[in-house]
Amino acid sequence: GCASSNTAISTISVNSRPTITVNNPSICAGNSAVISPSATGVNVFNISGGNFTVNPTSNSSYSVTATGTNGCASTNTAISNVVVNSLPVISVNDGTICSGQTFTINASGANTYTYSSGSNTVTPTSNTTYSITGTSSQGCVSSNTAMSSIVVNPSPTLSVNNGTICSGQNFTITATGADTYTYSGGSNIVSPINNTIYQVTGTSSLGCAASN
């Protein structure tokens, strides 16, 4: 019936449990994403799949848990949502021009474009192929390099005759080097009343013109 000589005190320590936050990366298709969890006083992070560097082919979610240095599990499971942006597919036009003309390359499928010529406006002197890549608004570079092929048709080289006539006579302008001709006098037969210069424009079968 005797009471204890002392009062024993039991002290209980309550350790806090960590709360995790995690990033939500956005990548281009084919690239890797690094999932970076964060929490105070954490000893070990665990992620579904076992790897914090991931290579998803489509939008994916990864769960992350943690164990604190005090041995307590995290209060939450953090979810990292990885967005996978598709790569743009580029298409461009081809074309045919006459020598000396300018051609405009029209690209589609992306937000911005890079041309091997430095510009989408080109003036090739011979048949030429230009390469074009594109970048989407998310910063993803095109999966293909589009090629624009330009055919350059030569302009005709004209030659015409000169002549001397007497007043009242006709003169026939004879042009060579093209397929069809247009004369500034309206016809290749002229009757000038004084010394006159006539211009001849010739057009090839490919539609290219030159004047003389």
Side-chain angles (χ1 to χ4, degrees), residues 74-92:
S74 56
T75 60
N76 67 315
T77 297
I79 303 298
S80 177
N81 297 304
V82 180
V83 174
V84 180
N85 296 307
S86 59
L87 306 182
V89 178
I90 309 302
S91 61
V92 295

Side-chain angles (χ1 to χ4, degrees), residues 39-155:
T40 301
V42 167
N43 187 36
V44 177
F45 288 104
N46 298 294
I47 187 170
S48 56
N51 199 328
F52 287 90
T53 300
V54 295
N55 302 87
T57 56
S58 59
N59 295 350
S60 300
S61 296
Y62 300 87
S63 57
V64 180
T65 58
T67 301
T69 54
N70 55 19
C72 295
S74 56
T75 60
N76 67 315
T77 297
I79 303 298
S80 177
N81 297 304
V82 180
V83 174
V84 180
N85 296 307
S86 59
L87 306 182
V89 178
I90 309 302
S91 61
V92 295
N93 58 328
D94 298 320
T96 300
I97 62 172
C98 297
S99 178
Q101 291 182 335
T102 296
F103 182 79
T104 299
I105 301 171
N106 295 317
S108 61
N111 188 52
T112 59
Y113 303 92
T114 301
Y115 303 86
S116 61
S117 55
S119 169
N120 70 323
T121 303
V122 294
T123 310
T125 57
S126 59
N127 295 352
T128 306
T129 298
Y130 300 93
S131 59
I132 300 94
T133 57
T135 303
S136 69
S137 56
Q138 294 86 17
C140 299
V141 178
S142 56
S143 57
N144 67 313
T145 298
M147 309 302 288
S148 177
S149 297
I150 314 300
V151 174
V152 180
N153 291 320
S155 296

Side-chain angles (χ1 to χ4, degrees), residues 136-191:
S136 69
S137 56
Q138 294 86 17
C140 299
V141 178
S142 56
S143 57
N144 67 313
T145 298
M147 309 302 288
S148 177
S149 297
I150 314 300
V151 174
V152 180
N153 291 320
S155 296
T157 301
L158 296 184
S159 62
V160 295
N161 60 330
N162 299 313
T164 301
I165 60 173
C166 297
S167 178
Q169 289 182 333
N170 293 332
F171 180 79
T172 300
I173 301 171
T174 303
T176 59
D179 290 280
T180 60
Y181 304 92
T182 302
Y183 303 88
S184 61
S187 170
N188 70 322
I189 300 174
V190 294
S191 301

